[in-house]
Amino acid sequence: MPANIIAYAIPGFLLLLTLEAVAAALMQRDLYEFKDTISSLSMGIGNVIVNLFAKAMVFGIFVFVHKFAIFKIGYAWWAWLLCFFADDISYYVFHRTSHECRLWWASHVVHHSSQRYNLGTALRQTWTGSLYSFVFWIWMPLAGFPPVMVMTMQAISLLYQFWIHTELVRDMGPLEWVLNTPAHHRAHHAVNARYLDKNHGGTLIIWDRLFGTFAQEDAADPPVYGLTKNIGTNNPLRIAFHEWADIGRDVASAKNWRERWMYVFGRPGWKYERKDEVRGTKEEVYLNI
């Protein structure tokens, strides 16, 4: 199994977080709030603990799948380059699905639950996503990419995405056309109507530009962070599991299998409402919120 690059990077994460907090204080920028940051760090610690098991499980699955590989790709320099693009498009599909399917949103919502945007928010990670989100990458070892290569590239992508969670870096010039930058990711975290479900890229922003999910950050409409309905808590357990609990309640209240399916696999916010008419007829209203 590949070395846990993310775990080795934790001291660097904490150092950069501290430097950003100091810089924000010197610049009199209200970027950090103590309880919010503690919650983010708690979620990050939980994620690391869960991943001690999850990474071993996923690696085992990838090794098994790789036995049936279609091609023998190996570790040549061009294979790493190809793996980079394969991983990045896989991340785009995973990330977009995490905003469009409630089953994956139940894990990903954790990362969006802070109303602050800083390097601490980058560490606010799911406790459940790594147990099943690997399915978006399973095609790679089947195609022939070695499991060690796949998981190493996944870690490199996550390392890259740490630093873009900042308000202190504004415009990066021509790089904005190709890379996922702080400006692009600020828009992704925003709940403003123009930014919702946009900019799903990992390292590259080209997939969003190609598939119509790109939004440019606009100074006239600065990002407002958090959720469309904020959960109003710093309790790590509620942050980690509130959407799972909501899914459970919705499924329990469902009247048929179509409703149950939609409450799990429909878009986040999908609702089924019944309005009883005075004359005894029934109006059925399906809502995507």
Side-chain angles (χ1 to χ4, degrees):
M1 188 168 70
N4 194 339
I5 298 174
I6 301 299
Y8 291 140
I10 290 175
F13 291 161
L14 296 177
L15 175 60
L16 290 173
L17 185 155
T18 302
L19 291 175
E20 184 188 49
V22 171
L26 293 174
M27 298 168 66
Q28 298 185 332
R29 298 281 303 277
D30 185 26
L31 299 186
Y32 281 84
E33 193 274 325
F34 181 74
K35 290 183 179 180
D36 176 82
T37 303
I38 293 299
S39 295
S40 294
L41 293 176
S42 298
M43 300 311 299
I45 292 169
N47 176 265
V48 169
I49 293 172
V50 170
N51 280 347
L52 292 176
F53 163 76
K55 285 186 178 297
M57 176 193 74
V58 172
F59 184 71
I61 293 172
F62 282 2
V63 168
F64 175 77
V65 170
H66 190 59
K67 294 179 180 179
F68 307 96
I70 300 170
F71 304 104
K72 294 183 178 180
I73 294 178
Y75 293 92
W77 68 267
W78 57 264
W80 284 96
L81 182 62
L82 192 60
C83 185
F84 166 76
F85 285 101
D87 169 74
D88 210 60
I89 187 62
S90 298
Y91 183 86
Y92 171 83
V93 175
F94 151 71
H95 198 182
R96 182 170 177 175
T97 303
S98 295
H99 282 256
E100 297 179 352
C101 175
R102 195 179 184 190
L103 178 64
W104 273 273
W105 176 246
S107 291
H108 188 59
V109 66
V110 169
H111 185 58
H112 284 263
S113 61
S114 175
Q115 293 178 256
R116 304 277 174 159
Y117 190 80
N118 51 50
L119 293 178
T121 304
L123 302 180
R124 183 177 287 233
Q125 295 293 329
T126 174
W127 294 356
T128 57
S130 55
L131 298 175
Y132 65 107
S133 294
F134 67 88
V135 297
F136 290 92
W137 282 266
I138 205 164
W139 72 272
M140 292 181 63
L142 181 61
F145 292 101
V148 170
M149 179 184 288
V150 175
M151 296 186 73
T152 299
M153 198 59 68
Q154 286 179 307
I156 291 172
S157 176
L158 289 177
L159 283 176
Y160 177 87
Q161 292 177 59
F162 172 77
W163 78 275
I164 61 177
H165 291 81
T166 184
E167 292 198 61
L168 298 185
V169 178
R170 305 310 298 179
D171 186 274
M172 295 185 64
L175 294 178
E176 300 279 345
W177 285 94
V178 179
L179 296 178
N180 190 15
T181 65
H184 297 328
H185 206 58
R186 284 193 294 269
H188 174 75
H189 271 258
V191 295
N192 316 47
R194 70 186 297 150
Y195 302 134
L196 280 178
D197 298 334
K198 295 294 193 292
N199 299 359
H200 302 296
T203 301
L204 303 175
I205 202 67
I206 58 174
W207 315 117
D208 290 285
R209 294 185 183 277
L210 284 172
F211 300 124
T213 53
F214 176 74
Q216 183 71 50
E217 184 185 39
D218 188 345
D221 189 14
V224 176
Y225 306 113
L227 303 173
T228 54
K229 294 181 180 179
N230 288 305
I231 57 177
T233 182
N234 289 305
N235 183 325
L237 289 175
R238 284 198 60 201
I239 293 171
F241 300 112
H242 75 276
E243 186 66 14
W244 290 109
D246 287 347
I247 290 176
R249 283 189 288 268
D250 287 338
V251 170
S253 68
K255 302 301 182 182
N256 55 58
W257 282 106
R258 181 184 185 278
E259 289 180 43
R260 296 184 185 100
W261 174 272
M262 292 301 296
Y263 277 132
V264 177
F265 296 101
R267 293 185 68 91
W270 185 91
K271 288 187 178 298
Y272 179 69
E273 293 187 354
R274 293 177 178 81
K275 296 182 179 180
D276 293 327
E277 299 287 324
V278 175
R279 296 181 181 177
T281 60
K282 184 172 65 177
E283 177 186 359
E284 298 179 346
V285 182
Y286 294 89
L287 301 173
N288 274 309
I289 300 176

